[in-house]
Amino acid sequence: RCRGVHSVERVAAEDQSPKKEGLLLMARVTGHSAAAPESGKAWGGRFRQKTNRLVESFTVSVAVDRRLYVYDIQGSIAHCKTLGKARILTPSETRAIVKGLESVKTELDRGRFRFTQQDEDIHMAIERRLTELIGSLGGKLHTGRSRNDQVALDIRLFLRDHLSQLVAHLEKFQRVLVAKGKANRTIAMPGYTHLQRAQPVLFAHHLLAYVEMIERDKGRFRDASVRVNVMPLGSGALAGTNYPVDRRFTAGLLGFPSVTQNSLDAVSDRDFMIEVASALSITMMHLSRLSEELILWSSQEFQFVELPDAFCTGSSMMPQKKNPDVPELIRGKTGRVYGHLVNLLTTLKALPLSYNRDLQEDKPALFDALDTVTASVKVLTELMRRLTVNRDVLKQAVQGGGMLATEVADYLVTRGVPFREAHAITGRLVRVALDQGREIASFSLNELRTFSERIEKGLFARLTITAAIDRKSQIGGTARTRVEQRIQELERMLS
Ligand code: ARG
């Protein structure tokens, strides 16, 4: 078989002399290189010049989109069967193409597939190889299809798979956080606002805050999946297809619950990718917050936790250093993921309908955002699994900082003092405690009564960390009973 690649080699010059053109015309008339003339491309029929080398390397996307090959072949097999059902292909043609596509897949699976210079993208590469394997019949596969609806399908299939994998990773991360919380469920720590000690909370309560965030993240990915899960094939290049293909049949073969309703929209819609990039950015933001806390907590200033050695790195100069590079890198990579979101939004901004080659830029952004978040979730999961909590340091930390002051104010409220007044009284008490370098719990009843006559010895029972924590017993509070209940609920949800 005479392949386009060879005919291009015969015509090395980029601008053709009339004589050479004549030769090529002859070649075409005699039936050679019917699908791949002067330009060396499957689409080259109307071209008089071979594609410029710079253009070739500038437009090629196979290094990025080869990653879609499984989905491309899956989609092509469904398309081929749809053509068969519409009697555009005979049953034996259908079988031969499907078999050919499966062989191409095997080659790709085994790393035996040889890409050529002319392979512009994964779609062309697979079709080229199919035709090499089964002959000109391979040229029938693209009937009624464009790479525009094809690539839209491929990304949707890709995302459907990868989003469910990511959700599974997030769920594992949640399970580790819940388990870590459970193992440390009696440990209190300072809760912060403005990074100032505020009120005591359970360490488990703090970790479970992240479990809630991740739960919402999963919801966003599942929600985005609903709009990913729509079948675009049959939209053609932009206007639809001339062939009587049963689009719902294709959708059924590929497990899509519905088909796109407007061909122009179907080939140029990347909303679903933007939604995913947005959800990825939010997830990354959550990971960056936990990372920041791990960086702080593992510092000598806090010493709340010990990061596992296996997840830290050292300094090439300072022998004592143990650096929290993993959380730092997650924090750093967050900007990169946000960048991909803005990249996608900007690529789509003011883009006229329908498909434009700009859209090829979608994949590097999407893939990298997805890979970055997936890698970050996986490594943070294992780091958290091995995190050790410095109980003694936390026990010490929770004693300081006047974190029981709110308990005094709330006690005064139970004694009939309006909250604003109670706040002011307690504020004066805190001032004195600070001046004398004491904690409120160390004041005697007589001392306390100089601030308010309403104070009785009943206050002392409230002035312990445990009491302060356990009083926060409404839904969502840090009381031990509540947190334990939530741990159980989450364990059930995540099992
Ligand atoms: N590689 C292209 C992309 O990623 C596939 C679609 C190309 N379509 C076209 N008419 N050039 O978007």
Side-chain angles (χ1 to χ4, degrees), residues 59 61 65 120-123 146-148 151 270 355-357 359-363:
T59 54
S61 60
D65 58 29
E120 192 180 332
D121 53 31
I122 188 64
H123 325 294
S146 155
R147 275 180 295 159
N148 299 350
V151 73
R270 296 292 183 273
Y355 179 86
N356 299 272
R357 193 62 176 267
L359 293 176
Q360 182 168 288
E361 287 296 307
D362 59 2
K363 283 171 285 302

Side-chain angles (χ1 to χ4, degrees), residues 86-265:
R87 295 170 185 261
I88 297 159
L89 296 175
T90 67
S92 72
E93 285 176 331
T94 308
R95 277 195 302 276
I97 294 177
V98 169
K99 199 160 157 259
L101 285 166
E102 280 162 356
S103 307
V104 177
K105 179 170 181 294
T106 307
E107 289 185 3
L108 281 154
D109 284 344
R110 299 196 175 146
R112 296 223 189 100
F113 188 99
R114 307 219 353 197
F115 288 94
T116 74
Q117 267 247 290
Q118 270 67 36
D119 290 338
E120 192 180 332
D121 53 31
I122 188 64
H123 325 294
M124 300 305 263
I126 289 171
E127 192 186 316
R128 187 238 338 134
R129 185 64 187 139
L130 175 70
T131 307
E132 283 170 5
L133 290 175
I134 68 168
S136 60
L137 173 60
K140 290 197 176 186
L141 171 64
H142 211 53
T143 311
R145 186 176 70 170
S146 155
R147 275 180 295 159
N148 299 350
D149 55 354
Q150 185 178 358
V151 73
L153 173 71
D154 291 4
I155 311 166
R156 286 170 185 273
L157 286 169
F158 168 88
L159 273 180
R160 221 168 53 170
D161 253 20
H162 285 74
L163 289 185
S164 67
Q165 284 168 26
L166 178 59
V167 167
H169 288 307
L170 288 170
E171 217 147 76
K172 189 168 166 196
F173 182 43
Q174 285 180 304
R175 279 196 290 271
V176 165
L177 292 175
V178 170
K180 186 61 61 176
K182 190 177 183 181
N184 296 284
R185 66 185 173 282
T186 56
I187 300 183
M189 67 176 284
Y192 294 83
T193 62
H194 314 267
L195 204 56
Q196 307 288 327
R197 286 183 185 173
Q199 290 185 308
V201 293
L202 287 183
F203 179 74
H205 195 53
H206 195 113
L207 287 191
L208 293 193
Y210 286 97
V211 177
E212 302 295 337
M213 293 178 223
I214 302 299
E215 190 60 25
R216 293 194 295 276
D217 292 336
K218 279 161 45 193
R220 270 182 283 272
F221 290 117
R222 289 188 179 125
D223 184 54
S225 297
V226 174
R227 281 171 294 283
V228 167
N229 212 6
V230 187
M231 207 289 296
L233 222 56
S235 302
L238 75 162
T241 171
N242 284 339
Y243 300 89
V245 289
D246 180 350
R247 298 189 61 213
R248 289 187 205 285
F249 175 75
T250 321
L253 290 177
L254 294 167
F256 284 98
S258 64
V259 301
T260 55
Q261 295 295 320
N262 182 298
S263 58
L264 292 164
D265 178 44

